[in-house]
Amino acid sequence: MDEDLLIARCKAGDEQAFRELFRRYQGQVYNVVLRILGDHPDAEDVVQEVFIHVVRSLPRYAGRSQFSTWLYRVTVNICLQKIRKRPLDTVSLEVMVPDRMELSAKTEGPERAAERHEIEEAVQAALLALPPTHRAAVVLHDIEGLTEEEIARVLKCPRGTVKSRLYHGRRRLRALLQDWMEAGL
Amino acid sequence: MRCRKVRWRLGEYVEGRLDERQSRRVEEHLRRCVRCEEEVRAARSVVGLLADIERRDLPAEQWARMEAAILREVRSPERASVRGIVSDGLVIWRQRLSDAVRGVYVTLVDHGRIAVPVLALVLLCVVGGLYLGRGRGGLEDIRERPLYSIYSAAEPREAPSLYSASPARYVR
């Protein structure tokens, strides 16, 4: 179904249309929440909260920006609210990026899968060490593949600010993941 | 091209979004500058690591449970309370304020070479203004004089009144 029609039907209160919208965007929202909040036990609750907010705010969505941009904005805002409400849970002064273990980078099979898992853990830990707004910019750009202009619309800030957050965010990641990058992964 | 400009365009260069001319200028710089070349290499590695992250998913039944829970919640007549809306608004404005402060900080750090002398000049002007204005009627002076004398050196002949007996005085 065409997205505009789907949204119009959702606004009119069509549950079937909402189910379709939810299925279309559940993965996008879930992955952004996971990367911004980390493997948090509340991640699924946050996804639920995002979609409840979407249903309630949809009548106010005027269609000036793309629906996915609006949805990213809702998602990021709710994640940032969560971080602000319990800053001590998520902000640690000492970053616990796991060390690189002596695993062969070239092997395939279970060992390679284990290593991939480790890399992902290290990257996630490093992401969590970034200031939340820098983290959001990096996640949206380097993982979700949004352009700087799109991120500026999502975060409601100038493009220069997005650029600066990306630059500083990546710089910090580089320092934290030095060990992994030197291994040539 | 200088290091600062190259680093500002680093992301676009790594992602291949610069036009041919700009890209060539960056490459020319990279051939001469080991530090920027190292920055580019490291940026490529970070972008590569992030791009390799696998997308996660939940089992279908978990999504179905979540979908049902959302529909249950939105079908209920209770809507977001006024308190909730106000609290959301406050959070957004707090975020905007902190973004603005951070923006100023980042600008100062990024453009330190220009910003520091400008700030020093502004500070000098303020301090100089205070110093020069010391003997020429500061706050104490103003407090001692009647209010009208702040705006005019001459004493008013008589306070104008809407109900004056001689309205001709105000025609002019």
Side-chain angles (χ1 to χ4, degrees), chain A residues 11 50-62 70 74, chain B residues 88:
Chain A
K11 279 184 176 181
V50 168
F51 279 100
I52 290 170
H53 186 91
V54 165
V55 176
R56 288 182 173 159
S57 312
L58 210 49
R60 292 199 297 276
Y61 167 65
W70 184 72
V74 172
Chain B
D88 285 357

Side-chain angles (χ1 to χ4, degrees), chain A residues 15 44 84 141 163 170, chain B residues 12 15 62 75 91 95:
Chain A
E15 276 192 16
E44 288 155 38
R84 249 174 262 129
H141 192 273
K163 240 178 158 177
R170 283 170 175 173
Chain B
E12 289 157 290
E15 293 153 21
Q62 216 159 327
R75 274 187 211 125
V91 167
Q95 171 65 22

Side-chain angles (χ1 to χ4, degrees), chain A residues 23-38:
Chain A
R23 279 165 210 166
R24 217 177 263 192
Y25 289 102
Q26 60 193 28
Q28 171 189 313
V29 172
Y30 180 60
N31 277 282
V32 171
V33 169
L34 268 187
R35 297 303 159 206
I36 296 182
L37 294 184

Side-chain angles (χ1 to χ4, degrees), chain A residues 29-40 43 46 72-73 75-83 86 90 124 127-140 143-144 154-155:
Chain A
V29 172
Y30 180 60
N31 277 282
V32 171
V33 169
L34 268 187
R35 297 303 159 206
I36 296 182
L37 294 184
D39 241 342
H40 203 276
V46 175
Y72 274 124
R73 190 184 307 152
T75 311
V76 170
N77 281 344
I78 290 182
C79 287
L80 295 180
Q81 267 180 40
K82 293 283 165 201
I83 293 171
R86 25 182 186 72
T90 46
Q124 183 63 58
L127 275 173
L128 291 179
L130 302 182
T133 47
H134 291 198
R135 195 188 313 160
V138 171
V139 167
L140 293 176
I143 300 180
E144 291 298 308
V154 169
L155 301 176

Side-chain angles (χ1 to χ4, degrees), chain A residues 15 19 23 31 39 44 52 56 84 116 133 141 144 148 163-165 170-171 174 181, chain B residues 11-12 15 17 39 42 45 52 55-56 62 67 73 75 78 91 94-95 99 102 106:
Chain A
E15 276 192 16
R19 284 177 206 275
R23 279 165 210 166
N31 277 282
D39 241 342
E44 288 155 38
I52 290 170
R56 288 182 173 159
R84 249 174 262 129
R116 282 190 71 88
T133 47
H141 192 273
E144 291 298 308
E148 286 166 2
K163 240 178 158 177
S164 167
R165 285 178 187 174
R170 283 170 175 173
R171 219 179 142 88
R174 225 153 59 206
M181 293 190 310
Chain B
E12 289 157 290
E15 293 153 21
R17 288 189 289 116
E39 286 251 351
S45 310
D52 275 353
R55 293 186 83 75
R56 301 254 197 104
Q62 216 159 327
E67 188 184 283
E73 176 74 24
R75 274 187 211 125
E78 287 172 26
V91 167
R94 208 178 92 184
Q95 171 65 22
D99 280 354
R102 191 170 292 124
V106 166

